[in-house]
Amino acid sequence: MAAFVVSLLSFLALWLPGLIEGDGAVGCAGYAPLPAGLAKLWAVLEEGWLELRRQYLSTYWQYLVLNGVPMVSVLLSGLVAAWSRRWLGTVVGLLAALSVAAVALHWAFTAFSYLLLLNCGGWEGGLPWLAWQSLLVAGFGGAVVLLVGGVRARAAALARTERRL
């Protein structure tokens, strides 16, 4: 239940930018310099992640669906865990955690890219936008932790119950 509430609040936070002045755009010719090894790794990771996201974020509705997936998967995980065998609840819980983690990773990449742009183009007016993206990372990341903790606690409780019998 806690993971669902955190996912729901994170989803609702998508509308927070309406309260922030400006559009969050940062003009910059490139990113702030990173160490050579990290710059190469970041370029490969960002290009791969951008290509993967392009397939799913081409329209506004797909964007909402992608960010709504955590709530649906967490709710499904809770329902299956309540009325199923241990192995099915564990599998569905872990799949839910993976889907929420994918959305958290999306926001982590977005926030890190924005941070690099701010370092290059200036921080004026950009801090609220970075805070918003970081809030989404923390929210969906927290939901992953709660899901995994719930799966482990449920598995441990069922194991104790089986040992008593």
Side-chain angles (χ1 to χ4, degrees), residues 114-159:
Y114 192 72
L115 175 67
L116 292 177
L117 284 174
L118 287 176
N119 282 335
C120 174
W123 285 76
E124 187 176 327
L127 193 57
W129 290 91
L130 181 62
W132 169 65
Q133 292 170 353
S134 301
L135 174 68
L136 292 167
V137 172
F140 288 126
V144 171
V145 171
L146 290 168
L147 272 171
V148 171
V151 166
R152 291 186 60 167
R154 182 173 185 273
L158 287 173

Side-chain angles (χ1 to χ4, degrees), residues 17-35:
L19 304 174
I20 302 172
E21 287 187 32
D23 63 357
V26 177
C28 189
Y31 291 129
L34 292 171

Side-chain angles (χ1 to χ4, degrees), residues 3 15 18 28-29 41-44 47 51 65 75 78 98 103-104 106-107 111 116 122 135 139 145-146 151 153 158:
W15 282 269
C28 189
L41 176 64
W42 178 249
V44 170
E47 184 178 319
E51 184 57 37
V65 167
L75 188 57
L98 285 174
V103 175
H106 158 72
W107 284 108
L116 292 177
L135 174 68
V145 171
L146 290 168
V151 166
L158 287 173

Side-chain angles (χ1 to χ4, degrees), residues 8 17 25 40 44-45 48 50 59 63 83 94 101 104-105 108 113-114 119 133 143 152-153 161:
L8 177 63
K40 287 179 185 178
V44 170
L45 284 173
L50 285 174
T59 68
Y63 180 77
W83 291 299
L94 292 177
L105 187 61
S113 295
Y114 192 72
N119 282 335
Q133 292 170 353
R152 291 186 60 167
T161 303

Side-chain angles (χ1 to χ4, degrees), residues 23-108:
D23 63 357
V26 177
C28 189
Y31 291 129
L34 292 171
L38 185 57
K40 287 179 185 178
L41 176 64
W42 178 249
V44 170
L45 284 173
E46 186 177 40
E47 184 178 319
W49 191 251
L50 285 174
E51 184 57 37
L52 181 64
R53 289 187 311 179
R54 245 182 242 125
Q55 297 174 16
Y56 297 101
L57 298 178
S58 60
T59 68
Y60 183 71
W61 288 108
Q62 289 172 340
Y63 180 77
L64 287 177
V65 167
L66 173 71
N67 287 288
V69 162
M71 289 182 309
V72 173
S73 62
V74 169
L75 188 57
L76 181 63
S77 169
L79 290 174
V80 169
W83 291 299
S84 70
R85 301 259 183 240
R86 181 170 72 183
W87 68 270
L88 184 59
T90 301
V91 168
V92 173
L94 292 177
L95 288 175
L98 285 174
S99 69
V100 177
V103 175
L105 187 61
H106 158 72
W107 284 108

